[in-house]
Amino acid sequence: MFLYMSCMEKERILSVGNYRRLWPQAWEKHVGFIERGENGFPLMEGCDDVDVFTLFGEPFECDTALMCASISDDRLEDEAYRFGLELALNGWPVSSGGRSGGIEKAFRAGFLDGDGRLECFLSDGIMSVFSNRRLRRLSSVVLANDGAVYSCYEPDVSDREGRGRRMLFKEYLATRKRRIVVLGLSKSGKDIVEQALMSGSEVYVHTSFMSSQCARMLAEDGAQLVDSAAHFILLQGGRVTSRVYPDGRGQHFYEGRGYGVFSS
């Protein structure tokens, strides 16, 4: 099970202590810093794993995270795209660990197509945006939609030692929110969500993704079920102004399938 890192491990992997030395180098590339206690710090109260983040963009209030299964499935990717599009069109911001699996990519495509405001966490240092084409493209779209891109790792990190562990820690940080929506779930993701539950987070499972055993286990343990983004927003007491439905003549498209929007 993925658990909190010891102080020694954190000092080895994170660059919490040396960001001041790197400040001039980062500032030249328009990279900012945000410390615990400042307005907009992205972790929920009680999560003390990181004290300093580097970032692109401006911090904003975001109390909802997304977790996805690491699989590719055409039907589920359509559902994920629709969920992301509807969430964005209703102005609901989301935090994401930025997985590259089919379902999360589909959600992100829908969310960004709807001009959603995304809080995105990186695992290899924020300077990797300059050398990684995929991250550069993703960050550009996130920032164009007034989102924010965070990293707790030193900007010039280049080695790949411990990359898998850093990826998990990135997802852990992205989900330190009051609410977590699950679109399917892997074993490693289940461990992260269970930690969030113990910290007081609310968990919601999308009914279309109940084929995931880990998602079913969360539902059996009391996670609330939702069948759409509109359903989720209404459960929070929010107002739904746009609903998304499959329509071949729609203005939004994912993998050749069109989606229409009904706005009230």
Side-chain angles (χ1 to χ4, degrees):
M1 178 180 288
F2 176 72
L3 297 172
Y4 295 116
M5 296 183 177
S6 68
C7 292
M8 183 177 296
E9 288 173 319
K10 284 163 59 180
E11 288 300 319
R12 179 170 59 83
I13 295 177
L14 307 181
S15 64
V16 180
N18 67 356
Y19 77 102
R20 297 185 190 282
R21 177 175 62 81
L22 295 166
W23 191 295
Q25 175 191 348
W27 193 258
E28 288 177 2
K29 295 184 180 294
H30 307 286
V31 176
F33 295 88
I34 184 168
E35 299 183 35
R36 180 178 301 282
E38 291 187 74
N39 290 335
F41 190 75
L43 305 186
M44 67 188 294
E45 188 175 344
C47 180
D48 58 358
D49 297 84
V50 178
D51 295 314
V52 180
F53 283 96
T54 50
L55 81 151
F56 288 127
E58 292 292 330
F60 57 93
E61 185 175 347
C62 176
D63 63 6
T64 302
L66 183 89
M67 290 286 288
C68 295
S70 301
I71 61 174
S72 295
D73 180 286
D74 290 345
R75 183 185 65 83
L76 295 181
E77 288 169 20
D78 283 342
E79 286 287 348
Y81 178 92
R82 180 183 175 186
F83 188 87
L85 179 60
E86 190 168 70
L87 207 60
L89 292 174
N90 285 288
W92 199 277
V94 170
S95 172
S96 166
R99 275 181 178 262
S100 57
I103 291 176
E104 184 151 343
K105 285 171 67 176
F107 168 84
R108 210 162 46 232
F111 191 74
L112 295 174
D113 278 355
D115 296 328
R117 204 171 189 190
L118 185 66
E119 207 181 68
C120 188
F121 286 76
L122 304 180
S123 62
D124 289 326
I126 207 157
M127 294 305 224
S128 63
V129 169
F130 295 101
S131 58
N132 185 304
R133 182 179 298 177
R134 183 186 71 84
L135 291 180
R136 188 164 62 245
R137 184 168 58 248
L138 171 61
S139 298
S140 296
V141 180
V142 169
L143 295 174
N145 289 352
D146 294 324
V149 180
Y150 293 95
S151 174
C152 57
Y153 305 102
E154 63 185 54
D156 58 355
V157 68
S158 59
D159 72 287
R160 298 175 67 85
E161 181 182 357
R163 178 173 172 78
R165 185 154 186 138
R166 294 201 303 271
M167 293 283 285
L168 283 176
F169 192 54
K170 168 196 68 172
E171 286 203 288
Y172 164 79
L173 293 173
T175 54
R176 298 309 93 183
K177 302 294 180 181
R178 191 159 69 88
R179 307 177 181 96
I180 302 176
V181 180
V182 171
L183 306 183
L185 202 59
S186 63
K187 174 61 169 63
S188 60
K190 180 174 178 290
D191 295 339
I192 292 172
V193 172
E194 285 179 340
Q195 290 180 50
L197 277 169
M198 289 188 289
S199 300
S201 298
E202 303 169 5
V203 177
Y204 300 81
V205 176
H206 194 302
T207 54
S208 293
F209 296 83
M210 293 291 282
S211 57
S212 163
Q213 182 180 6
C214 292
R216 289 198 304 275
M217 291 174 66
L218 285 174
E220 290 169 358
D221 289 341
Q224 295 190 64
L225 299 180
V226 294
D227 56 24
S228 67
H231 184 193
F232 167 74
I233 292 170
L234 290 172
L235 285 176
Q236 315 312 314
R239 180 168 177 262
V240 174
T241 58
S242 299
R243 295 178 185 268
V244 176
Y245 56 92
D247 178 8
R249 298 167 298 176
Q251 294 181 332
H252 300 273
F253 291 88
Y254 178 74
E255 297 294 327
R257 185 175 183 182
Y259 294 83
V261 178
F262 172 78
S263 299
S264 57

